[in-house]
Amino acid sequence: MKLIKLNAIDSTNDFIKKIKSLVDDKLFFVFTYNQTKGRGQMNKVWESQPNKNICFSICYKPIKSNPKQMSFKLNMLISLILLDFFKELKIPDIKIKWPNDILSAEKKISGILIESSIKSNNINDYIIGIGLNINQESFNGIINANSVKNILGINYDLNLLSNRLFKLFSNLDRKIEQLSIKYLKKKYLENLYGLDSLLKFSNYNGKFKAKIIEVISENKIKLLVDNKELIFDSDDLKLHI
């Protein structure tokens, strides 16, 4: 397993895009403690103070791939591995916020961005970007963000935490092949924020309240809205906490 550490970079995802054709490994990691232009979902900026947090990306090149199944499995598995990481640190009230955030007590402590490239109708590779709020104490007025240090009052060694993370993700390729969608979905739903609760959402039509009934894919969810079951796309839907 190849592991590349950068002193500083604009985006670990973008760095992998530049070098992935030069790396033969089917699974390799790039990480930094100083990411200057990290990206989240829908091109949002991922704010990260230098040398306070862990920002890393995984390049995964599946040997064989069913794009519909693989993308969904990967999205759920990444979230569950991060959940295990934070539970090991004894972070309280950990939940997955659909589609790709990790919350503690309804505040974001980690975000995931998965990008893929397709060749001959198959996924050629996935680039999985992950940001973890570790030692950062303030978030420029962003009230729904938090960090491990703020929660536990401990200033962590980023190198030690990074090593643990890489061990948890080192067998990602084997897990994705061995674990079924049914199993992953069961574990995912068990840890999903707001399942079967009345939540506040918004889309291009405005704000509304609904219950999550089912997660259909990495970017589609079924909601109960005014006693009607409706399917929404993650690009068109925002969950408000």
Side-chain angles (χ1 to χ4, degrees), residues 169-229:
F169 280 101
S170 62
N171 58 354
L172 177 69
D173 50 347
R174 189 169 75 247
K175 284 182 177 179
I176 202 72
E177 294 294 336
Q178 292 178 346
L179 298 176
S180 67
I181 281 187
K182 182 178 180 181
Y183 171 81
L184 289 170
K185 193 171 182 179
K186 179 177 181 295
K187 300 296 290 183
Y188 186 91
L189 291 175
E190 286 173 358
N191 292 282
L192 186 64
Y193 173 80
L195 185 66
D196 293 326
S197 299
L198 195 62
L199 302 172
K200 296 177 182 178
F201 293 90
S202 64
N203 66 357
Y204 55 87
N205 286 322
K207 296 181 179 180
F208 61 94
K209 293 183 179 181
K211 288 184 179 181
I212 299 173
I213 299 174
E214 183 184 1
V215 176
I216 297 173
S217 71
E218 71 278 8
N219 54 18
K220 292 191 182 299
I221 194 168
K222 183 183 290 186
L223 303 179
L224 183 66
V225 186
D226 295 331
N227 294 318
K228 296 180 181 178
E229 294 186 4

Side-chain angles (χ1 to χ4, degrees), residues 110-122:
S110 182
I112 306 160
L113 176 66
I114 301 178
E115 301 176 280
S116 61
S117 62
I118 298 176
K119 184 177 180 180
S120 301
N121 295 321
N122 282 316

Side-chain angles (χ1 to χ4, degrees), residues 13 18 60 71 109 135 140 200-201 215:
N13 268 33
K18 294 174 183 176
Y60 171 46
S71 298
I109 57 173
N135 292 326
N140 297 322
K200 296 177 182 178
F201 293 90
V215 176

Side-chain angles (χ1 to χ4, degrees), residues 1-235:
M1 179 184 70
K2 183 180 288 294
L3 185 60
I4 301 170
K5 183 178 181 181
L6 304 172
N7 290 329
I9 193 69
D10 52 355
S11 163
T12 51
N13 268 33
D14 290 345
F15 180 80
I16 284 183
K17 290 175 186 177
K18 294 174 183 176
I19 68 163
K20 63 183 182 180
S21 63
L22 306 175
V23 180
D24 292 331
D25 300 60
K26 296 298 181 184
L27 184 70
F28 70 91
F29 300 76
V30 172
F31 75 107
T32 185
Y33 305 144
N34 187 6
Q35 181 172 253
T36 58
K37 294 181 180 179
R39 291 180 290 113
Q41 284 291 312
M42 294 184 284
N43 292 317
K44 291 182 179 178
V45 175
W46 177 264
E47 298 282 355
S48 183
Q49 291 178 0
N51 302 309
K52 295 287 187 179
N53 306 309
I54 300 172
C55 302
F56 75 104
S57 295
I58 305 166
C59 185
Y60 171 46
K61 304 173 184 178
I63 296 173
K64 55 182 180 178
S65 171
N66 178 331
K68 291 182 180 180
Q69 289 191 345
M70 184 68 74
S71 298
F72 191 23
K73 288 176 72 174
L74 195 59
N75 180 272
M76 292 188 290
L77 180 57
I78 294 294
S79 297
L80 291 169
I81 291 174
L82 285 174
L83 213 68
D84 288 341
F85 170 77
F86 285 116
K87 285 181 178 179
E88 285 184 5
L89 296 179
K90 309 297 183 185
I91 301 295
D93 195 16
I94 289 288
K95 291 290 183 180
I96 300 166
K97 179 190 173 189
W98 185 85
N100 44 27
D101 288 336
I102 305 296
L103 307 178
S104 170
E106 299 188 340
K107 291 190 175 183
K108 182 175 178 177
I109 57 173
S110 182
I112 306 160
L113 176 66
I114 301 178
E115 301 176 280
S116 61
S117 62
I118 298 176
K119 184 177 180 180
S120 301
N121 295 321
N122 282 316
I123 297 294
N124 191 46
D125 60 63
Y126 291 93
I127 301 175
I128 305 140
I130 300 172
L132 300 96
N133 296 334
I134 304 298
N135 292 326
Q136 186 167 330
E137 297 180 76
S138 62
F139 293 89
N140 297 322
I142 302 174
I143 60 174
N144 65 339
N146 210 354
S147 70
V148 172
K149 182 177 181 178
N150 283 343
I151 295 167
L152 299 180
I154 300 171
N155 196 67
Y156 279 87
D157 184 322
L158 297 182
N159 289 318
L160 290 177
L161 291 189
S162 296
N163 289 336
R164 181 57 189 150
L165 273 168
F166 300 138
K167 286 180 181 178
L168 288 171
F169 280 101
S170 62
N171 58 354
L172 177 69
D173 50 347
R174 189 169 75 247
K175 284 182 177 179
I176 202 72
E177 294 294 336
Q178 292 178 346
L179 298 176
S180 67
I181 281 187
K182 182 178 180 181
Y183 171 81
L184 289 170
K185 193 171 182 179
K186 179 177 181 295
K187 300 296 290 183
Y188 186 91
L189 291 175
E190 286 173 358
N191 292 282
L192 186 64
Y193 173 80
L195 185 66
D196 293 326
S197 299
L198 195 62
L199 302 172
K200 296 177 182 178
F201 293 90
S202 64
N203 66 357
Y204 55 87
N205 286 322
K207 296 181 179 180
F208 61 94
K209 293 183 179 181
K211 288 184 179 181
I212 299 173
I213 299 174
E214 183 184 1
V215 176
I216 297 173
S217 71
E218 71 278 8
N219 54 18
K220 292 191 182 299
I221 194 168
K222 183 183 290 186
L223 303 179
L224 183 66
V225 186
D226 295 331
N227 294 318
K228 296 180 181 178
E229 294 186 4
L230 302 174
I231 295 174
F232 294 84
D233 190 281
S234 59
D235 289 338

